[in-house]
Amino acid sequence: MSKISGAESHIMEALWTRGALTAEEIVQTVGPAQEWGEATVKTLINRLLKKKALKSERAGGRAIYKALVSREDYVTGESQGLLDRLFGGQLAPLVAHYARHRDLSATDIARLKKLIAEIESDDD
């Protein structure tokens, strides 16, 4: 599957959140917030169909669109792409970057420590 663009991700997010939708429902869901008209939304839907990120089924004379890509798979691919492009595929430099350039709360630090402990116990 081809990469989902930022604009296309709004369509996907609507489908991941609400389930199967008609084109009209997608327009109503994402159009106003993005200031997109019907033609723009339908263009994005068609791009996603060509990328095989969506499928279309007929029901009651109308097309119903469903996501073929899960949100988890999308996030995994995007995350890996970010790691590869900016940090040579290495996770530690990404975490170090955020630790240096963002204020980590005590809760953030505790979560990171817990995650590391869980990973270490899984390796045993």
Side-chain angles (χ1 to χ4, degrees):
M1 185 194 76
S2 300
K3 184 172 169 44
I4 295 171
S5 72
E8 293 162 349
S9 72
H10 292 287
I11 307 295
M12 297 300 295
E13 198 64 53
L15 292 166
W16 290 322
T17 302
R18 298 193 51 208
L21 298 170
T22 65
E24 294 77 22
E25 291 168 330
I26 296 171
V27 170
Q28 292 169 358
T29 302
V30 301
Q34 302 304 316
E35 298 182 355
W36 292 340
E38 182 178 344
T40 300
V41 172
K42 287 185 175 181
T43 296
L44 293 169
I45 289 170
N46 284 325
R47 287 183 192 169
L48 289 164
L49 287 166
K50 288 178 186 172
K51 292 179 179 184
K52 301 199 184 320
L54 298 182
K55 71 176 178 176
S56 172
E57 297 176 350
R58 301 295 294 175
R62 296 167 39 157
I64 306 289
Y65 299 96
K66 295 181 180 181
L68 289 176
V69 175
S70 72
R71 188 174 195 290
E72 183 177 341
D73 288 345
Y74 169 72
V75 169
T76 298
E78 288 294 307
S79 300
Q80 188 61 52
L82 175 74
L83 272 180
D84 292 345
R85 282 190 316 277
L86 300 179
F87 300 99
Q90 301 296 308
L91 184 57
L94 169 77
V95 174
H97 172 79
Y98 278 103
R100 281 192 218 107
H101 297 286
R102 280 185 67 161
D103 291 332
L104 293 177
S105 68
T107 303
D108 290 332
I109 293 168
R111 286 179 179 164
L112 287 168
K113 286 180 179 179
K114 182 180 177 192
L115 177 60
I116 290 168
E118 288 171 0
I119 292 168
E120 288 176 339
S121 71
D122 287 346
D123 287 342
D124 292 342

